[in-house]
Amino acid sequence: MKIPFVNLGLQYESIKNDIDQAITHVIADSAFVGGNYVKKFESDFADKYGVKHVVGCGNGTDSLYIIMRMLGIGPGDEVITAANSWISSSETISETGAQPIFADVDSVYYSLDESRVEELINERTKAILVVHLQGQMCDIEKLRDICDSHGIYLIEDCAQSHFSSFKGRYAGLWGVAGSFSFYPGKNLGAYGDAGCIITNNDELARKCRLFANHGALTKHQHEIEGINSRLDGLQAAILSAKLRYIKEWTAARINISGLYCKFLVDIPEVILPSVRNQSVHTFHLFVIRAKRRNDLMGYLKLKGVEASIHYPSALPSLLPYKELRDNNKTPVADMLQEEILSLPMFPELKEQEVRYVADIIRSFYLSQA
Ligand SMILES: *Cc1c(COP(=O)(O)O)cnc(C)c1O
């Protein structure tokens, strides 16, 4: 059996008519940048998410940068973020001119450890950029309270947590703004780069929209200098088409995670993901911690199963942060980078395939015993 890490082709096959039609319409209307399809997706996403403003932009990295720039974060400021994430969350802090400060993650949910955050706050701290990694939200209530009590912004990186929730409220609706990526492999993915900002703050929404479009809401009427980070029409139309299926796909991911847990639960060398109480984990990734992780990954590959690591280096271990390393003590993130393994996860994965992956993992440890 061959099991890829994700299979976007299968998903396309299942909704081929919707996608082909969406693309045909955009081309027929020459609505390539901005325009009705972008407006429609923004309003579709706003409705489904229950948020006032959705600002489409070029990708889920720009969306973080735009939010922070428009909140006035810049040189001399510090922003606290998780040590275990994709580099976008820290590189965009640097891009504003501010300094990323890495906080460790916890060893159960692998998300920003709220007990380690408060000690990092000082008079330069302007925001906490939380990352809801793998599809699971951080302890967002505690983090929001910390932000409120210090008068700093809470910004949410939701690139891996579309429709994840805590106490019935979606990721991205807890702080001043949420940032989404629609990179093809994300739970809601375009057919190229795409992203958006969500917020209930009118003024911030307006500023973000302005900045993402050369500082102009109306052509040639530049109010400020901005950047070019627009959602294109093809991606917007594809996203609107796919948005109709997101609930189904998320349910399938949750079901698959249940199967993995059922089939792997008796393997002592494997630690399964924990789901936070009162929360919905949308399993962008299904991440286990495994003894002899690298050997296991090689063995899976030999047997046709493509596993992956998110991420092989915690952010403070990456070259660009060499100078910061001594000041950033993140033992849990350092430990996780050696043990975590992401197993194949996509809505179309079949029960027999999940069983096959689990059987390979079991036979690996039996053969090593
Ligand atoms: C994917 C991702 C991003 C960036 O998204 P792009 O659209 O690829 O720029 C940011 N943060 C996290 C946590 C991500 O997983």
Side-chain angles (χ1 to χ4, degrees):
M1 219 186 278
K2 272 229 170 323
I3 306 180
F5 184 66
V6 291
N7 191 334
L8 298 175
L10 269 183
Q11 190 187 65
Y12 170 63
E13 285 306 321
S14 75
I15 55 165
K16 188 175 183 309
N17 283 341
D18 301 39
I19 298 288
D20 292 356
Q21 254 188 39
I23 291 173
T24 307
H25 286 155
V26 176
I27 295 173
D29 295 352
S30 297
F32 297 115
V33 176
N36 286 340
Y37 295 94
V38 172
K39 280 208 186 85
K40 174 152 194 328
F41 172 68
E42 288 177 342
S43 93
D44 290 348
F45 197 68
D47 284 350
K48 265 232 157 60
Y49 227 83
V51 69
K52 201 163 171 194
H53 303 284
V54 173
V55 180
C57 51
N59 55 68
T61 304
D62 284 353
S63 48
L64 287 167
Y65 171 64
I66 294 166
I67 292 168
M68 287 189 276
R69 273 294 302 270
M70 293 304 98
L71 288 173
I73 293 168
D77 298 336
E78 292 183 358
V79 177
I80 297 167
T81 194
N84 180 17
S85 181
W86 175 242
I87 192 169
S88 298
S89 34
S90 51
E91 73 184 347
T92 50
I93 296 171
S94 303
E95 201 179 354
T96 67
Q99 176 72 58
I101 303 293
F102 295 114
D104 208 359
V105 293
D106 72 81
S107 59
V108 178
Y109 306 109
Y110 320 139
S111 62
L112 196 60
D113 184 347
E114 69 286 347
S115 73
R116 305 301 305 281
V117 164
E118 204 137 25
E119 68 203 48
L120 299 172
I121 296 176
N122 61 45
E123 67 284 353
R124 290 184 299 280
T125 310
K126 285 294 176 317
I128 299 178
L129 172 58
V130 305
V131 185
H132 302 304
L133 210 63
Q134 305 172 0
Q136 166 135 273
M137 290 183 64
C138 304
D139 195 341
I140 192 69
E141 208 164 36
K142 289 218 186 85
L143 287 158
R144 187 193 55 191
D145 291 348
I146 291 172
C147 287
D148 286 350
S149 73
H150 290 272
I152 59 179
Y153 294 119
L154 173 64
I155 303 163
E156 296 175 81
D157 183 346
C158 309
Q160 301 190 7
S161 59
H162 312 71
F163 299 95
S164 303
S165 65
F166 179 66
K167 292 192 176 173
R169 191 195 292 194
Y170 287 141
L173 299 176
W174 291 78
V176 63
S179 164
F180 287 83
S181 167
F182 303 118
Y183 181 79
K186 305 282 158 120
N187 284 20
L188 180 62
Y191 285 2
D193 278 312
C196 83
I197 294 158
I198 68 170
T199 181
N200 285 315
N201 180 317
D202 298 344
E203 178 61 21
L204 181 63
R206 183 180 187 280
K207 282 187 176 167
C208 289
R209 194 175 289 288
L210 201 62
F211 188 69
N213 191 31
H214 302 293
L217 292 176
T218 309
K219 205 168 188 179
H220 303 309
Q221 298 188 12
H222 304 278
E223 300 177 30
I224 54 171
E225 281 184 336
I227 61 173
N228 175 3
S229 182
R230 298 174 297 217
L231 179 58
D232 77 63
L234 283 169
Q235 303 310 338
I238 289 165
L239 287 167
S240 280
K242 290 179 85 174
L243 190 59
R244 296 199 283 273
Y245 299 92
I246 189 69
K247 293 267 153 87
E248 235 171 87
W249 290 334
T250 302
R253 286 175 183 275
I254 293 169
N255 183 50
I256 291 160
S257 78
L259 293 173
Y260 268 128
C261 290
K262 188 168 100 186
F263 299 144
L264 292 169
V265 72
D266 60 337
I267 304 177
E269 291 89 348
V270 169
I271 299 176
L272 294 168
S274 306
V275 178
R276 200 185 290 284
N277 249 335
Q278 294 182 277
S279 76
V280 176
H281 186 327
T282 54
F283 289 97
H284 172 58
L285 298 170
F286 185 87
V287 178
I288 59 169
R289 281 162 62 195
K291 292 246 157 68
R292 299 188 293 283
R293 190 265 321 264
N294 292 346
D295 293 344
L296 172 62
M297 193 174 166
Y299 186 73
L300 283 163
K301 189 168 181 207
L302 205 69
K303 299 289 180 180
V305 177
E306 193 188 351
S308 189
I309 302 173
H310 301 87
Y311 295 93
S313 294
L315 294 174
S317 306
L318 294 174
L319 263 181
Y321 305 112
K322 207 166 62 184
E323 311 294 322
L324 293 176
R325 222 169 281 166
D326 287 345
N327 313 329
N328 282 277
K329 305 242 176 324
T330 56
V332 177
D334 295 350
M335 174 274 287
L336 287 175
Q337 73 187 22
E338 309 300 330
E339 296 187 359
I340 48 177
L341 187 65
S342 308
L343 300 180
M345 172 55 88
F346 50 91
E348 297 77 13
L349 202 60
K350 295 196 178 57
E351 173 160 355
Q352 76 200 66
E353 294 173 313
V354 177
R355 191 187 292 274
Y356 177 77
V357 175
D359 287 346
I360 304 289
I361 295 174
R362 180 173 296 102
S363 69
F364 170 77
Y365 287 114
L366 285 177
S367 72
Q368 303 257 312

